[in-house]
Amino acid sequence: MKRLIAMNRWLGWLTLILLAVSLWLVFNAPIDYQQGNSVRILYIHVPSAKMALFVYLALTVFSIWYLWKKSETADILVEASAPVGAAFALVTLASGSIWGKPMWGTWWAWDARLTSMLVLLILYMGIIAIRNGIDDPVKGARATAVLAIFGAVDLPIIHFSVVWWRTLHQPPSFGKTASAGPAITGPLLPPLLWMSLTFFLLGAYLILLKARETQGRRTLEHLEAQRRTHV
Amino acid sequence: MSDYSLYIHAVYLLALLVYGGVTILWKIRIKTIETRIQHYQGLTPDGPTHSDPHHP
């Protein structure tokens, strides 16, 4: 854990460098023949959405690890992942809404993809609330891990919602599906891949940053409790 | 509004505020926590050490 935290500084600088390259590519990419310039919103929206899902997947793995091994590192990573995932989900929903207004003519629709993504944000908020709301650290950690594992059922629903149901939301941006037709290709694809890589590093950086804060806070609480017993 | 610049600016500003905001907030919190840990580690169980400037 300590080694990972030490590595985080370099990860931060690498993320910043990649972000500069990605932004240059994004603002030099051609406009889309249908969406025009508004396609640039998707370079924030799609990587944020991918990371909102990926962070939840990681959170589920950390939760299983915690329940299996009772590892404090796993518990710290669960606690650190939730706000990072919530930030990605929030940006996904807000950027999608801002894109939806000029493209669909509405800020919001109770479409399967949008609603399942909103459920993911609520799950993240629930995990944060439970982790902070239960005073007993062991009970809190166990409750959080169990909720996170049950909540993972939302991940395939989000991913396949555009395939399973007829939605207002367009098909997946990466790859091809038989029913949904071709995804984003050509000169629009490299900036999206670069932004996705940048957001992956940003996610890892933010989780490790928050883990350092969580670990520090626990050490401080322990020291304060120790101090109180000696006074 | 033919080039959607207002919407694009709004999204990039939002991303900057959220991702930049949490980074700065957590960095400040880490600094505060680590300073307080150093303060506590400078104290012995029976009271402050002489190296602690706040408790001479």
PDB file of all heavy atoms in Angstrom, chain A residues 50 171-178 180-185 189:
ATOM      1  N   LYS A  50     -17.185   5.122 -18.887  1.00  0.00           N
ATOM      2  CA  LYS A  50     -16.392   3.885 -18.810  1.00  0.00           C
ATOM      3  C   LYS A  50     -15.761   3.750 -17.427  1.00  0.00           C
ATOM      4  O   LYS A  50     -15.739   2.667 -16.852  1.00  0.00           O
ATOM      5  CB  LYS A  50     -15.266   3.896 -19.869  1.00  0.00           C
ATOM      6  CG  LYS A  50     -15.766   3.852 -21.285  1.00  0.00           C
ATOM      7  CD  LYS A  50     -16.122   2.449 -21.720  1.00  0.00           C
ATOM      8  CE  LYS A  50     -16.874   2.454 -23.030  1.00  0.00           C
ATOM      9  NZ  LYS A  50     -17.873   1.416 -23.140  1.00  0.00           N
ATOM     10  N   PRO A 171     -26.017   3.436 -29.544  1.00  0.00           N
ATOM     11  CA  PRO A 171     -25.304   2.179 -29.251  1.00  0.00           C
ATOM     12  C   PRO A 171     -23.912   2.436 -28.659  1.00  0.00           C
ATOM     13  O   PRO A 171     -23.438   3.573 -28.655  1.00  0.00           O
ATOM     14  CB  PRO A 171     -25.178   1.511 -30.631  1.00  0.00           C
ATOM     15  CG  PRO A 171     -26.093   2.233 -31.517  1.00  0.00           C
ATOM     16  CD  PRO A 171     -26.334   3.576 -30.957  1.00  0.00           C
ATOM     17  N   PRO A 172     -23.236   1.364 -28.189  1.00  0.00           N
ATOM     18  CA  PRO A 172     -21.904   1.545 -27.593  1.00  0.00           C
ATOM     19  C   PRO A 172     -20.939   2.279 -28.530  1.00  0.00           C
ATOM     20  O   PRO A 172     -20.966   2.079 -29.740  1.00  0.00           O
ATOM     21  CB  PRO A 172     -21.422   0.109 -27.353  1.00  0.00           C
ATOM     22  CG  PRO A 172     -22.643  -0.715 -27.317  1.00  0.00           C
ATOM     23  CD  PRO A 172     -23.642  -0.049 -28.199  1.00  0.00           C
ATOM     24  N   SER A 173     -20.075   3.137 -27.938  1.00  0.00           N
ATOM     25  CA  SER A 173     -19.134   3.918 -28.749  1.00  0.00           C
ATOM     26  C   SER A 173     -17.974   3.077 -29.256  1.00  0.00           C
ATOM     27  O   SER A 173     -17.392   3.370 -30.287  1.00  0.00           O
ATOM     28  CB  SER A 173     -18.580   5.083 -27.922  1.00  0.00           C
ATOM     29  OG  SER A 173     -19.634   5.887 -27.482  1.00  0.00           O
ATOM     30  N   PHE A 174     -17.595   2.046 -28.467  1.00  0.00           N
ATOM     31  CA  PHE A 174     -16.489   1.177 -28.881  1.00  0.00           C
ATOM     32  C   PHE A 174     -17.055  -0.116 -29.444  1.00  0.00           C
ATOM     33  O   PHE A 174     -18.037  -0.650 -28.939  1.00  0.00           O
ATOM     34  CB  PHE A 174     -15.599   0.839 -27.689  1.00  0.00           C
ATOM     35  CG  PHE A 174     -14.832   2.023 -27.172  1.00  0.00           C
ATOM     36  CD1 PHE A 174     -15.134   2.567 -25.933  1.00  0.00           C
ATOM     37  CD2 PHE A 174     -13.807   2.589 -27.912  1.00  0.00           C
ATOM     38  CE1 PHE A 174     -14.430   3.655 -25.436  1.00  0.00           C
ATOM     39  CE2 PHE A 174     -13.101   3.677 -27.429  1.00  0.00           C
ATOM     40  CZ  PHE A 174     -13.413   4.210 -26.189  1.00  0.00           C
ATOM     41  N   GLY A 175     -16.414  -0.653 -30.483  1.00  0.00           N
ATOM     42  CA  GLY A 175     -16.801  -1.948 -31.048  1.00  0.00           C
ATOM     43  C   GLY A 175     -18.053  -1.860 -31.894  1.00  0.00           C
ATOM     44  O   GLY A 175     -18.558  -0.777 -32.196  1.00  0.00           O
ATOM     45  N   LYS A 176     -18.543  -3.040 -32.287  1.00  0.00           N
ATOM     46  CA  LYS A 176     -19.730  -3.102 -33.139  1.00  0.00           C
ATOM     47  C   LYS A 176     -20.700  -4.115 -32.556  1.00  0.00           C
ATOM     48  O   LYS A 176     -20.288  -5.116 -31.974  1.00  0.00           O
ATOM     49  CB  LYS A 176     -19.358  -3.556 -34.543  1.00  0.00           C
ATOM     50  CG  LYS A 176     -18.759  -2.472 -35.405  1.00  0.00           C
ATOM     51  CD  LYS A 176     -18.539  -3.004 -36.802  1.00  0.00           C
ATOM     52  CE  LYS A 176     -17.937  -1.924 -37.703  1.00  0.00           C
ATOM     53  NZ  LYS A 176     -17.742  -2.415 -39.057  1.00  0.00           N
ATOM     54  N   THR A 177     -21.969  -3.872 -32.708  1.00  0.00           N
ATOM     55  CA  THR A 177     -22.971  -4.870 -32.334  1.00  0.00           C
ATOM     56  C   THR A 177     -23.852  -5.096 -33.554  1.00  0.00           C
ATOM     57  O   THR A 177     -24.116  -4.164 -34.314  1.00  0.00           O
ATOM     58  CB  THR A 177     -23.841  -4.401 -31.163  1.00  0.00           C
ATOM     59  OG1 THR A 177     -24.444  -3.171 -31.524  1.00  0.00           O
ATOM     60  CG2 THR A 177     -23.036  -4.232 -29.892  1.00  0.00           C
ATOM     61  N   ALA A 178     -24.309  -6.326 -33.711  1.00  0.00           N
ATOM     62  CA  ALA A 178     -25.086  -6.675 -34.900  1.00  0.00           C
ATOM     63  C   ALA A 178     -26.359  -5.838 -35.005  1.00  0.00           C
ATOM     64  O   ALA A 178     -26.713  -5.358 -36.084  1.00  0.00           O
ATOM     65  CB  ALA A 178     -25.441  -8.149 -34.839  1.00  0.00           C
ATOM     66  N   ALA A 180     -26.992  -2.959 -33.308  1.00  0.00           N
ATOM     67  CA  ALA A 180     -26.849  -1.522 -33.108  1.00  0.00           C
ATOM     68  C   ALA A 180     -26.064  -0.808 -34.214  1.00  0.00           C
ATOM     69  O   ALA A 180     -26.053   0.404 -34.271  1.00  0.00           O
ATOM     70  CB  ALA A 180     -26.173  -1.278 -31.772  1.00  0.00           C
ATOM     71  N   GLY A 181     -25.378  -1.556 -35.086  1.00  0.00           N
ATOM     72  CA  GLY A 181     -24.654  -0.911 -36.171  1.00  0.00           C
ATOM     73  C   GLY A 181     -23.269  -0.468 -35.751  1.00  0.00           C
ATOM     74  O   GLY A 181     -22.828  -0.752 -34.643  1.00  0.00           O
ATOM     75  N   PRO A 182     -22.547   0.232 -36.634  1.00  0.00           N
ATOM     76  CA  PRO A 182     -21.157   0.583 -36.363  1.00  0.00           C
ATOM     77  C   PRO A 182     -21.023   1.632 -35.260  1.00  0.00           C
ATOM     78  O   PRO A 182     -21.889   2.494 -35.106  1.00  0.00           O
ATOM     79  CB  PRO A 182     -20.667   1.138 -37.692  1.00  0.00           C
ATOM     80  CG  PRO A 182     -21.895   1.599 -38.392  1.00  0.00           C
ATOM     81  CD  PRO A 182     -23.005   0.715 -37.935  1.00  0.00           C
ATOM     82  N   ALA A 183     -19.915   1.524 -34.503  1.00  0.00           N
ATOM     83  CA  ALA A 183     -19.646   2.482 -33.441  1.00  0.00           C
ATOM     84  C   ALA A 183     -18.746   3.588 -33.979  1.00  0.00           C
ATOM     85  O   ALA A 183     -18.504   3.652 -35.181  1.00  0.00           O
ATOM     86  CB  ALA A 183     -18.994   1.746 -32.285  1.00  0.00           C
ATOM     87  N   ILE A 184     -18.240   4.429 -33.081  1.00  0.00           N
ATOM     88  CA  ILE A 184     -17.394   5.561 -33.490  1.00  0.00           C
ATOM     89  C   ILE A 184     -16.115   5.030 -34.173  1.00  0.00           C
ATOM     90  O   ILE A 184     -15.488   4.100 -33.697  1.00  0.00           O
ATOM     91  CB  ILE A 184     -17.085   6.445 -32.265  1.00  0.00           C
ATOM     92  CG1 ILE A 184     -16.441   7.761 -32.684  1.00  0.00           C
ATOM     93  CG2 ILE A 184     -16.235   5.733 -31.236  1.00  0.00           C
ATOM     94  CD1 ILE A 184     -16.436   8.799 -31.573  1.00  0.00           C
ATOM     95  N   THR A 185     -15.774   5.597 -35.313  1.00  0.00           N
ATOM     96  CA  THR A 185     -14.615   5.120 -36.089  1.00  0.00           C
ATOM     97  C   THR A 185     -13.869   6.307 -36.708  1.00  0.00           C
ATOM     98  O   THR A 185     -14.215   7.464 -36.463  1.00  0.00           O
ATOM     99  CB  THR A 185     -15.062   4.195 -37.254  1.00  0.00           C
ATOM    100  OG1 THR A 185     -16.068   4.881 -37.991  1.00  0.00           O
ATOM    101  CG2 THR A 185     -15.561   2.858 -36.770  1.00  0.00           C
ATOM    102  N   LEU A 189     -11.920   8.397 -33.555  1.00  0.00           N
ATOM    103  CA  LEU A 189     -11.579   7.347 -32.592  1.00  0.00           C
ATOM    104  C   LEU A 189     -10.295   7.618 -31.790  1.00  0.00           C
ATOM    105  O   LEU A 189     -10.322   7.459 -30.559  1.00  0.00           O
ATOM    106  CB  LEU A 189     -11.498   5.991 -33.307  1.00  0.00           C
ATOM    107  CG  LEU A 189     -11.341   4.761 -32.394  1.00  0.00           C
ATOM    108  CD1 LEU A 189     -12.492   4.633 -31.414  1.00  0.00           C
ATOM    109  CD2 LEU A 189     -11.225   3.499 -33.239  1.00  0.00           C
TER     110      LEU A 189
END
